[in-house]
């Protein structure tokens, strides 16, 4: 966009988009460290233009954004007159007129098109003037005369209507017609500019400074040693240096042009110089317009054969400049890489040079720099400071016989050699430099070899004054204190020659060896001649030499001090310490004197703004806080404080000690860093640093276990148990199949044996995703732009030694064998997603939807995982309908369970209507029969239980009671998986009345306890208690049950429903109904697995009476079972008529049920008594594996896995090695009739519980968590991968509803790394537990809340800290949002930072 004010009205502007090939961009400086200059060349006017690329302001954006085809004739189009370069400039003669940049529309063009330059996806506009630059030209009105505009044929409306706004433009030599903003606003849609080019300079019309209508071959930015900035334009025979400055308002102003003869020119950024190639192969070093030295090219052009072929040549080009190195291209075809030495490479020398630059006149300083740069590289010495001192001392005579001797006077007739670094391993290229002190185009002091450095004598007072301030500055740094002696020798020589006895005494006191040195003293005649110098002895306000140490000591004693001289930015440390000591020495509630009373500012920069210093003393009354805030204002870090002398740091450390304990909460973040409390800074910061959960692991990344190992590595640093768990849970690699081929076995039979063996191993492989989902739960934050990677479930094998691939093509196997394992694999992948992600929406969920039908099972499991994580609520209703329309069983099951779990306890009417569509008992009478599979009905049944959890809803209770005793029905589909359906009806009933017992008055008339007891023990079937629902029950033509309740179907659901209904009620009457039969006769009517469920439900009811002892377990076993369970081995003590195998099965089942109840009672507590009790029973059952026939293999396997799950529940998240060894032993067993798919699933679920959520999670013990664990860890596991007869496999993942983040992590405040800290946790009963972080805390409700006088952050009302750490004090802090763990020194517990350690 090109804008300029219209001459006829100050409020109207002329606006137009341009795309003109006349304007060529020569260089655009878009580096963040450089000014945003864009240099263009106008080929028609033959001028260069410099613009600044800035963000477009509202004044730069056109008011009309929509442009339509004009319907009026071409006479309505208003031509816009634009000032050309030949027009006179009104009102300001020295301002260069701005040429037209608006695109003209010629006869071959169709329409003016916007052609913005694309910068980071935005549009670029060009703006001239607009009040920001002094180079603004006014556009005269058409009536006032001016340059005549050429007109062209206008386009007819039909022709104009076919034009694209992005059509190509016409040649710039065509006739032109300009459209005003009004006419353009009715043509086409315009691009709104985001960047705007503001014209700041254009090439003048003076013939002495014209580029002969040739664009510059190169444009670059450079600075000189004085700090002036230039834009360099390189032409064929000269280089222009255009000086520019930046004003206080941020705008740029360009000055005059300084031409220099040059064939080639490159900038040397590290030297602040330019290397220029002139005629006759002369190289010159320039700093701005001042020539520093010549470079003799003779060795390069007539050198040995490695520079060419030994024939005379010339320098063709200088290129590839980086810092102080560059490449020289020779006419012989060779190229040499060279590096120019730096000006000053010593920090003390750099300070001295900066001080002299501020004090000396410009011409004197440039002459001095030229001489020093040549001399500093003539001598080969390692001590650069010593050389600088000797060089500066050469202008002071040693005795009266040598009035103005100079050490370098003898060098006037020789060439001094500079040896640059050869970067290309070519022979060293030697630069022969001649001293030169004459600047181009300026009248400056001419330095000749005969004068040497004598010209500096008249500025001896100034040199001594400023270098003395540098000398005092060096005392304030322990890194540069060693340089003071060398600089003191130089200053002592100057002071002796000037006759300043106080200064001589000052240096002699610091270094007594200077007493033995004698120098010539300036006589009276020379002293009178020095009075005309620029600076005199009265440079400072006091006659005594400034002494920073004595001055600060006097300030601390609250004596009257004179302003101390400061030369900014050289003596920055001096000013900082003056501020600090001034604030420290003033008593509280006392005003600090103005900074001008303490400091005398010297140099051209003058006094800095002391507004923050004045505000500091008004707002803060404590001197300690004033000092800390002053250090923060000066941006002094702890590492920089360590470089100050110890004596000067003592007041600062005193302030740190006072403010460290209880700092205010309104400080800036760097102030907390100074006092060592950057933990507070990070906790108060609005930008919360989220930990990176994913980490590159040494294992393959496609195994689905690429989790963060930082916490696990710190929790288990002494062994490789985590790697062993990863190995046991990985299912993406082929398994190793080792089968020995017997001589009599044919190859075909051997292949079948291998595949049969592989099929047995695959039973274990297919069960791995359930345990892997526990291990990797909530450990990944996927990108919203990438699909979630689901690891492959590999069911192939490798046969050693050739690793031949083995499949399952030659044996019979179930067609749907991989259906549910793939479902579990998708659930495990989805559970990796953390619940704290807010970017996940319905679009991302649908984005992961597979195209092929083969991945539908995994996607169904992915949906269930999203529901358990709470993300499925973001799925839109339309997308839910699209998924349900597929009528894919597993997808429907996942949606019904996932949405219900995500909205547990809400009793949503909308979701109830959705679930009723898949549950016929909830449909009204007369509803059309729908073909709904039993697995869908079961999922809908459990969804009702989640949705109405704890509500005691009467209607749903009636429906569930009826469905537990539902008859098989006339359809064969209704008879399929009846046990699973009845079990889910009982679990759903138990969740609806969870823990209510007899407290619900509205349900008393239903006699729920009696009906459940009848369904548990057997009896006559009762009629449904309500007829409002269309029951799915009916008479079956295949199954004859008559009017008697089939307890094999109804008993599991009734037992668990009764246990959940009276959960934690300690009702002894209900517990008595769950007791094991005390006689052999009664025991014959109860299956062993029902005995296990009865013992489990008994423990749920009598929750507070569950004890972690063996006596409590034996208290549930009838005496006759205890007495005879160990008999029956064939001895003489056998009692006739007793079934010893049944007694042993009953004994093991009761023990397993009690172990599961004990595991639920002490879940996640790592109670050692419970652990030892469960471990003893586990070892007892393991010892029976050798005599499994006497017990019953199926029963023993069920009891073994149940006890293992109870043991893992107690040690949940602990990663206990003893349990891992047991699991590793059990998983090595081959699959058989009793060691089947379900046994391996239980084993790997136990392994996943030990490392739940990557060692960050544990299980809760509230009612809903216990109910979820009962549903998930139901003791009856499937016999095969497609078995859902006794329990719905999708319910195995409901443990997520009971999982809680319990990890306590201590992070270092400086490095944010996990660090071990001993923590003492006090329980409600006073029990004390000492743990080392990272660790898992017990339940929040079991921790004692203490109200210690801790320092708290502003939101102290949520202070519930209960962790004591001695001797390190703790503070309480609240995390801004759930699941976000800041990188601070803190203890993270669930969604809050519990407490964190004070660093330092």
């Amino acid at each position: 966009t090109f804008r300029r004010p219209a001459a006829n009205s100050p409020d109207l502007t002329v606006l137009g988009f341009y795309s003109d090939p006349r304007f060529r961009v020569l260089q655009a400086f878009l580096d963040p460290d450089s000014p945003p200059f864009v240099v263009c060349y106008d080929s028609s006017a033959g001028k260069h233009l410099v613009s600044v690329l800035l963000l477009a302001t509202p004044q730069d954006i056109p008011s009309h954004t929509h442009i339509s085809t004009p319907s009026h004739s071409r006479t309505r189009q208003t031509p816009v007159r634009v000032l050309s370069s030949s027009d006179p400039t009104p009102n300001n003669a020295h301002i260069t007129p701005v040429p037209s940049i608006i695109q003209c529309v010629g006869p071959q063009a169709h329409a003016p098109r916007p052609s913005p330059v694309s910068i980071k996806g935005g549009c670029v506009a060009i703006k001239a003037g607009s009040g920001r630059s002094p180079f603004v030209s006014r556009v005269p009105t058409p009536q006032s005369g001016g340059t005549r505009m050429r007109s062209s044929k206008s386009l007819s409306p039909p022709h104009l209507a076919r034009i694209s706004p992005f059509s190509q433009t016409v040649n710039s030599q065509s006739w032109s017609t300009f459209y005003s903003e009004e006419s353009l606003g009715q043509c086409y849609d315009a691009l709104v500019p985001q960047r705007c080019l503001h014209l700041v300079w254009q090439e003048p019309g003076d013939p002495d400074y014209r580029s002969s209508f040739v664009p510059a071959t190169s444009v670059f930015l450079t600075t000189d040693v004085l700090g002036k900035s230039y834009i360099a334009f390189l032409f064929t025979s000269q280089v222009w240096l255009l000086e520019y400055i930046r004003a206080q308002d941020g705008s740029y102003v360009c000055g005059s042009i300084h031409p220099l003869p040059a064939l080639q020119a490159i900038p040397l950024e590290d030297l602040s110089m330019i290397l220029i190639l002139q005629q006759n192969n002369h190289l010159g070093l320039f700093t701005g317009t001042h020539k520093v030295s010549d470079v003799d090219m003779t060795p390069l052009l007539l050198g040995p054969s490695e520079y060419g072929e030994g024939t005379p040549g010339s320098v063709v080009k200088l290129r590839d400049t980086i810092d102080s190195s560059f490449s020289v291209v020779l006419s012989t075809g060779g190229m040499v890489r060279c590096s120019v030495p730096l000006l000053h490479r010593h920090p003390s020398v750099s300070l001295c040079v900066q001080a002299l630059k501020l004090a000396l006149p410009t011409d004197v300083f440039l002459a001095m720099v030229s001489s020093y740069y040549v001399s500093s590289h003539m001598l080969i010495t390692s001590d650069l400071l010593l050389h600088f001192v000797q060089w500066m001392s050469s202008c002071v005579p040693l005795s009266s016989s040598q009035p103005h001797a100079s050490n370098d006077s003898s060098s006037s007739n020789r060439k001094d050699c500079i040896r640059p670094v050869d970067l290309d391993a070519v022979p060293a290229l030697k630069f022969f430099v001649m001293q030169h002190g004459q600047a181009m185009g300026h009248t400056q002091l001419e330095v000749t070899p005969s004068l040497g450095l004598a010209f500096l004598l008249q500025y001896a007072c100034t040199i001594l004054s400023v270098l003395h301030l540098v000398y005092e500055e060096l005392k304030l740094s322990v890194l540069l204190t060693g340089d003071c002696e060398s600089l003191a020798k130089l200053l002592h020589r100057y002071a002796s020659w000037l006759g300043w006895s106080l200064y001589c005494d000052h240096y002699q006191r610091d270094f007594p060896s200077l007493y033995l040195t004698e120098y010539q003293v300036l006589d009276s005649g020379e002293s009178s001649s020095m009075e005309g110098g620029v600076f005199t002895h009265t440079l400072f306000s006091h006659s005594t030499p400034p002494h920073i140490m004595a001055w600060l000591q006097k300030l601390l004693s609250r004596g009257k001090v004179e302003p101390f001289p400061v030369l900014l930015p050289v003596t920055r440390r001096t000013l900082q310490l003056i501020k600090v000591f001034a604030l420290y020495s003033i008593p509280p509630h006392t005003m600090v004197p103005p900074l001008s009373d303490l400091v005398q500012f010297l140099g051209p920069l003058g006094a800095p703004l002391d507004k923050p210093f004045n505000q500091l003393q008004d707002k803060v009354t404590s001197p300690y806080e004033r000092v800390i805030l002053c250090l923060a204002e000066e941006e002094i870090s702890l590492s920089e404080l360590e470089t100050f002398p110890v004596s000067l740091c003592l007041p600062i450390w005193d302030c740190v000690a006072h403010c460290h304990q209880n700092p205010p909460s309104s400080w800036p973040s760097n102030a907390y860093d100074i006092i060592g409390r950057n933990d507070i800074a990070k906790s108060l910061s609005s930008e919360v640093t989220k930990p990176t959960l994913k980490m590159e692991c040494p294992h393959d990344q496609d195994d689905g276990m690429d989790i963060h190992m930082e916490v696990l590595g710190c929790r288990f640093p002494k062994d490789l148990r985590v790697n062993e768990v990863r190995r046991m849970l990985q299912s993406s690699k082929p398994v190793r199949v080792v089968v020995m081929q017997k001589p009599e076995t044919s190859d075909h039979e051997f292949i079948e044996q291998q595949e049969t063996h592989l099929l047995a191993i695959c039973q274990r492989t297919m069960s791995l995703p359930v345990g892997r989902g526990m291990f990797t739960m909530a450990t990944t934050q996927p990108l919203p732009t990438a699909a979630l990677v689901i690891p492959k479930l590999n069911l192939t094998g490798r046969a050693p030694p050739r690793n031949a691939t083995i499949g399952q093509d030659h044996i019979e196997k179930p067609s749907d064998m991989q259906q549910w394992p793939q479902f579990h694999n998708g659930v495990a992948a989805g559970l990796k997603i953390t619940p704290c992600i807010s970017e996940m929406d319905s679009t991302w969920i649908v984005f992961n939807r597979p195209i092929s039908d083969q991945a539908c099972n995994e996607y169904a499991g992915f949906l269930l995982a999203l529901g358990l994580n709470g993300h499925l609520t973001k799925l839109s209703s339309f997308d839910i309908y699209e998924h349900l329309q597929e009528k894919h069983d597993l997808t429907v099951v996942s949606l019904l369970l996932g949405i219900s779990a995500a909205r547990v306890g809400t009793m949503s009417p909308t979701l109830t209507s959705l679930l009723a569509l898949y549950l016929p008992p909830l449909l009204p009478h007369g509803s059309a029969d729908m073909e709904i599979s039993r697995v869908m009905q079961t999922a809908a049944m459990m969804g009702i239980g989640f949705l109405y959890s704890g509500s005691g809803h009467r209607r749903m209770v009636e429906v569930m009671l009826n469905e537990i005793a539902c008859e098989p029905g006339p359809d064969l589909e209704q008879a399929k998986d009846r046990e699973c359906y009845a079990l889910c009806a009982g679990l759903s009933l138990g969740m609806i009345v969870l823990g209510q017992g007899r407290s619900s008055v509205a349900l008393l008339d239903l006699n729920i306890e009696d009906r459940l007891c009848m369904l548990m023990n057997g009896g006559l079937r009762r009629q449904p208690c309500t007829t409002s629902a269309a029951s799915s029950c009916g008479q079956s033509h295949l199954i004859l049950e008559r009017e008697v309740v089939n307890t094999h179907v109804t008993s599991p659901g009734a037992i668990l429903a009764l246990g959940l209904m009276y959960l934690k009620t300690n009702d002894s009457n209900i517990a008595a109904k769950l007791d094991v039969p005390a006689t052999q006769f009664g025991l014959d009517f109860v299956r062993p697995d029902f005995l296990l469920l009865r013992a489990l439900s008994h423990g749920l009811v009598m929750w507070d009476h569950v004890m972690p002892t063996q006596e409590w377990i034996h208290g549930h076993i009838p005496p006759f079972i205890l007495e005879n369970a160990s008999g029956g081995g064939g001895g003489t003590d056998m009692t006739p008529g007793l079934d010893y195998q049944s007694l042993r099965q009953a004994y093991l089942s009761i023990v397993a049920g009690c172990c599961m109840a004990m595991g639920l009672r002490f879940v996640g507590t790592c109670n050692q008594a419970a652990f030892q009790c469960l471990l003893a029973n586990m070892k007892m059952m393991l010892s029976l594996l050798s005599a499994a026939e006497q017990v019953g293999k199926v029963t023993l396997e069920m009891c073994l896995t149940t006890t293992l799950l109870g043991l893992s529940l107690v040690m949940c998240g602990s990663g206990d090695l003893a349990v891992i060894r047991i699991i590793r032993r059990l998983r090595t067993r081959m699959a058989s009739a009793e060691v089947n798919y379900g046994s391996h699933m239980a084993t790997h679920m136990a392994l996943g519980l030990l490392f739940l959520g990557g060692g960050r999670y544990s299980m809760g013990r509230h009612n809903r968590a216990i109910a979820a664990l009962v549903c998930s860890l139901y003791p009856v596991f499937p016999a095969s991968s497609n078995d859902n007869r006794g329990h719905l496999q999708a319910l195995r993942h409901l443990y997520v509803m009971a999982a809680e983040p319990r990890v306590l992590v201590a992070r270092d405040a400086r490095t944010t790394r996990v660090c071990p800290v001993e923590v003492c946790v006090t329980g409600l009963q006073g029990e004390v537990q000492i743990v080392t972080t990272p660790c898992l805390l017990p339940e929040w409700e079991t921790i004692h809340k203490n109200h210690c006088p801790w320092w708290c952050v502003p939101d102290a009302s949520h202070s519930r800290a209960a962790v004591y750490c001695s001797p390190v004090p703790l503070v309480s802090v609240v995390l801004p949002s759930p699941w976000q763990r800041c990188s601070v020194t803190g203890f993270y517990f669930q969604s809050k930072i519990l407490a964190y350690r004070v660093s330092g």
Side-chain angles (χ1 to χ4, degrees), residues 239-524:
V239 60
W240 289 358
L241 296 181
L242 174 63
E243 184 178 358
Y244 69 89
I245 61 173
R246 186 172 184 178
Q248 295 182 355
D249 58 352
S251 60
Y252 292 89
V253 180
C254 297
S256 58
I257 298 177
H258 305 283
L260 298 175
L263 299 178
Q264 290 286 325
I266 55 175
L268 303 176
E269 297 181 2
D270 286 359
L271 278 78
S272 299
M273 296 183 185
I274 308 174
L275 184 63
I276 295 180
L277 175 64
Q278 299 175 340
Q279 297 292 338
N280 300 325
N281 291 326
H282 287 169
L283 277 177
L285 282 175
F286 287 77
T287 174
T289 59
H290 180 84
K291 189 172 185 180
V292 178
S293 63
D294 284 330
V295 179
D296 190 359
M297 302 298 298
T298 304
L300 180 64
L301 303 179
L302 299 178
S305 59
E306 52 262 23
Y307 293 111
E309 298 181 356
T311 59
S314 61
V315 178
V316 178
K317 190 175 182 180
L318 304 176
R319 52 177 290 184
D320 303 336
T321 173
I322 299 177
D323 297 332
S324 61
S325 60
F326 58 94
S327 298
V328 178
V329 181
L330 305 179
S331 59
T332 57
M335 184 170 63
V336 183
R337 188 69 177 172
C338 307
S339 179
V340 180
L342 299 178
L343 179 60
H344 42 74
R345 291 164 289 177
H346 196 281
S348 299
V349 176
S350 178
L351 288 177
C352 295
V353 173
Q354 292 182 29
L356 294 175
K357 179 180 69 174
L358 298 175
L360 295 177
T362 302
D363 53 350
V364 176
F365 175 73
L366 291 176
M368 186 205 72
V369 168
S370 301
S371 178
Y372 170 70
Y373 181 67
V374 174
S375 64
S376 62
H377 303 288
M378 288 168 45
L379 304 177
I380 302 177
T381 177
S382 58
D383 194 344
L384 300 178
L385 178 61
L386 178 61
H387 173 70
F388 175 78
V389 171
Q390 294 176 353
W391 181 81
M392 289 293 298
S393 303
S394 62
C395 66
V396 180
L398 293 175
S399 62
S400 58
S401 61
Q402 298 176 350
H404 296 297
S406 178
N407 288 347
D408 63 339
S409 60
S410 61
S411 64
S412 58
N413 296 324
R414 75 173 187 265
K415 295 182 179 180
D416 304 324
C417 177
I418 297 178
R419 297 177 176 86
V421 178
D422 187 358
L423 300 180
D424 288 339
V426 299
L429 179 64
K430 299 181 180 180
F431 283 67
F432 292 87
V433 183
M434 296 180 59
Q435 183 175 346
H436 196 286
Q438 185 175 2
M440 300 296 297
H442 292 275
T443 303
Q444 296 184 358
L445 179 65
E446 182 174 334
V447 180
T448 61
S450 59
L451 291 179
L453 298 178
F455 71 96
L456 292 178
L457 289 180
Q458 58 179 321
Y459 301 99
C461 298
T462 303
I463 295 175
L464 177 58
S465 300
V466 296
L467 291 185
H468 178 80
L469 297 180
V470 176
Y471 172 74
E472 296 296 323
E473 178 75 9
L474 296 181
K475 295 179 181 180
L476 305 180
S477 175
V478 295
L479 303 177
L480 302 178
T481 305
D483 300 337
C484 291
E485 184 175 1
S486 300
L487 189 58
K489 295 179 181 179
L490 172 64
L491 298 178
H492 184 260
R493 182 169 183 175
Y494 271 81
S496 300
W497 184 72
L498 292 174
W500 292 2
S501 59
L502 294 178
Y503 281 78
C504 293
D505 181 71
H506 178 78
Y507 305 130
Q508 290 171 358
R509 289 178 182 272
D510 290 343
F511 300 98
S513 60
L514 296 177
Y515 278 104
L516 305 177
T517 307
E518 295 182 359
Y519 298 104
Q520 178 186 357
V521 180
L522 187 65
D523 55 21
S524 58

Side-chain angles (χ1 to χ4, degrees), residues 727-737 757-772 792-797 808 817-818 820-822 824-825 1227 1229-1231 1236-1237 1240-1241 1244 1281:
R727 183 191 66 81
M728 289 189 290
L729 291 179
Q730 75 87 19
S731 59
S732 59
K733 295 181 180 179
V735 295
R736 191 167 180 261
V737 180
H757 185 73
L758 175 63
L759 181 61
I761 298 178
C762 287
Q763 300 297 319
R764 182 183 65 189
T765 305
M766 291 185 296
S767 66
L768 294 176
V770 182
R772 190 179 72 243
K792 181 182 179 181
L793 186 63
N794 197 326
L795 299 182
T796 61
Q808 301 177 18
M817 182 182 69
Q818 301 185 32
W820 281 101
Q822 290 177 352
H824 297 313
N825 193 35
R1227 73 182 301 272
R1229 299 177 300 167
M1230 291 301 300
N1236 49 27
Y1237 168 79
H1240 286 296
M1241 177 184 289
H1244 294 109
S1281 60

Side-chain angles (χ1 to χ4, degrees), residues 810-1113:
H810 301 84
I811 60 174
E812 295 182 0
K813 60 179 181 179
S815 59
D816 56 348
M817 182 182 69
Q818 301 185 32
Q819 182 181 20
W820 281 101
Q822 290 177 352
F823 175 85
H824 297 313
N825 193 35
V827 175
L831 289 179
K832 291 175 58 179
I833 303 174
T834 58
C836 63
I837 300 179
S838 59
E839 297 83 3
M840 185 179 299
D841 54 6
S842 181
T843 304
W844 186 82
I845 298 175
V846 178
F847 174 71
N848 287 273
R849 191 174 184 178
I851 301 177
S852 61
D853 297 337
Q854 298 178 355
C856 288
N857 298 328
E858 294 179 342
Y859 181 69
F862 169 70
L863 293 178
L864 176 60
L866 294 182
L868 296 174
N869 280 336
H871 295 304
L872 204 57
T873 56
K874 303 174 184 178
L875 190 64
S876 64
S877 302
F878 175 79
D879 292 326
I880 294 176
Y881 173 77
E882 288 291 327
H883 285 81
L884 296 177
Q885 276 293 103
E886 296 179 355
K887 297 181 180 180
H888 184 255
D889 286 358
L890 297 187
T891 302
V892 175
V893 168
S894 299
L895 286 175
L896 297 181
L897 288 177
I899 299 176
S900 302
R903 299 182 180 180
V904 59
T906 60
M907 297 190 297
S908 171
T910 304
L911 189 53
T912 303
S913 301
L914 175 63
L915 295 174
L917 295 176
Y918 296 90
L919 192 59
L922 292 180
L923 296 175
H925 285 288
S927 300
D929 293 337
M930 302 175 60
E931 295 183 0
I932 303 174
S933 64
R934 178 64 80 176
V935 68
M936 293 184 186
Q937 298 181 29
T938 306
M941 186 86 66
M942 286 302 303
I944 292 295
F946 295 146
L947 199 62
Y948 290 87
S949 175
S951 64
H953 196 276
R954 182 182 178 89
R955 165 73 188 281
M956 299 304 170
V957 170
E958 294 174 352
V959 172
M960 300 308 157
L961 274 174
N962 293 336
E963 295 306 308
I964 295 177
C966 179
E967 296 182 7
D971 191 2
L972 182 62
E973 180 67 23
Q974 301 295 331
K976 182 180 179 181
D977 298 337
R978 285 184 61 204
E979 295 86 348
C980 176
Y981 184 82
L983 173 67
C984 289
L987 292 175
S988 180
L989 173 62
M991 297 190 70
I992 295 174
V993 293
L994 185 62
Q996 294 186 4
R998 296 186 177 90
S999 60
S1000 181
V1001 181
L1003 302 178
L1004 292 178
D1005 60 324
L1006 295 180
N1007 298 321
I1008 300 177
E1009 300 87 351
D1010 297 338
R1011 294 197 61 185
L1012 290 178
C1013 289
M1014 182 268 297
L1015 296 175
M1016 178 176 60
N1017 298 319
L1020 295 178
R1021 191 187 305 275
R1022 296 184 181 182
Q1023 294 295 328
C1025 56
T1026 178
T1027 58
S1028 58
S1031 177
S1032 61
C1033 303
Q1035 294 293 333
S1036 174
H1037 303 288
L1038 301 176
I1039 301 175
L1040 181 61
E1041 291 184 351
R1042 297 182 179 178
E1043 297 180 355
V1044 180
V1045 174
N1046 188 354
T1047 56
H1048 297 282
V1049 177
T1050 61
S1051 185
I1055 294 174
L1056 293 180
L1058 190 60
L1060 293 177
M1061 181 178 179
Y1062 286 87
L1063 177 63
K1064 300 181 182 180
T1065 59
N1066 300 312
D1067 193 325
S1068 58
N1069 296 327
I1070 299 298
K1073 297 180 180 179
L1074 294 170
D1075 285 340
V1076 178
T1079 62
Q1080 176 69 46
F1081 178 78
L1083 195 63
D1084 293 339
F1085 294 94
V1086 183
R1087 283 172 25 186
D1089 55 334
F1090 295 170
L1091 294 175
L1092 189 152
L1093 294 178
R1094 288 194 177 196
L1096 172 60
S1097 297
H1098 188 282
L1100 295 179
V1101 176
M1102 306 299 293
W1103 183 266
D1104 295 334
H1105 297 274
V1106 177
M1107 303 302 295
T1109 60
Q1110 198 71 30
E1111 291 75 13
W1112 178 82
I1113 297 178

Side-chain angles (χ1 to χ4, degrees), residues 582-783:
L583 295 173
Y584 182 77
S585 59
I586 302 301
H589 306 283
T590 303
M591 295 298 297
V592 179
L595 190 60
S596 58
D597 295 346
L598 302 173
V599 177
Q600 177 190 0
F601 293 99
L602 306 176
L605 297 181
L609 296 177
D610 55 352
K611 183 177 180 180
F613 185 76
N614 295 334
Q615 291 180 349
L616 197 63
Q617 49 183 305
D618 297 337
K619 295 182 179 180
V620 182
T621 58
S622 172
Y624 308 112
E625 296 182 10
R626 289 176 179 177
V627 171
I628 299 302
L629 291 179
C630 180
L631 294 175
E633 288 286 345
E634 296 293 333
E635 298 181 355
I636 300 178
S637 60
L638 281 176
S639 58
E640 188 175 357
L641 278 177
E642 295 176 355
T643 63
F644 284 89
V646 178
S647 59
L648 299 180
C649 287
L650 288 178
I652 298 178
W653 296 130
D654 183 36
C655 298
V656 170
H658 280 82
C659 299
H660 178 84
Q661 185 72 20
N662 190 10
S665 59
S666 58
W667 279 7
S669 58
N670 56 343
Y672 295 107
D673 297 337
I674 295 174
I675 64 173
R677 295 297 300 273
N678 49 353
D679 49 352
I680 302 178
K682 293 181 180 180
S683 64
L684 295 178
S685 176
S686 58
E687 298 180 0
V688 180
T689 304
K690 297 182 179 179
T692 304
L693 296 179
K694 296 187 68 176
M695 175 182 180
E696 190 172 324
C697 299
H699 301 269
D700 295 338
Q701 294 298 315
D702 57 351
D703 61 353
M705 290 179 284
D706 48 341
I707 64 175
H708 201 297
M709 300 297 294
E710 184 182 18
V711 175
L712 282 175
C714 293
R715 290 193 62 191
F716 314 110
K718 299 181 180 180
D719 50 45
L720 300 177
R721 69 183 74 184
V722 179
N723 294 341
E724 181 67 12
V725 171
R726 290 173 61 94
R727 183 191 66 81
M728 289 189 290
L729 291 179
Q730 75 87 19
S731 59
S732 59
K733 295 181 180 179
V735 295
R736 191 167 180 261
V737 180
V738 181
V739 178
M740 300 301 296
Q741 184 178 6
K742 298 180 179 180
E744 64 274 9
T745 304
S746 63
D747 292 341
H748 180 73
E749 293 176 349
F750 178 66
I751 293 176
E752 290 183 353
Q753 290 178 3
Q754 286 181 323
E755 293 184 356
T756 304
H757 185 73
L758 175 63
L759 181 61
I761 298 178
C762 287
Q763 300 297 319
R764 182 183 65 189
T765 305
M766 291 185 296
S767 66
L768 294 176
V770 182
R772 190 179 72 243
M774 292 180 168
F775 177 54
T776 61
M777 183 182 66
T779 56
T780 304
Q781 295 182 1
L783 295 176

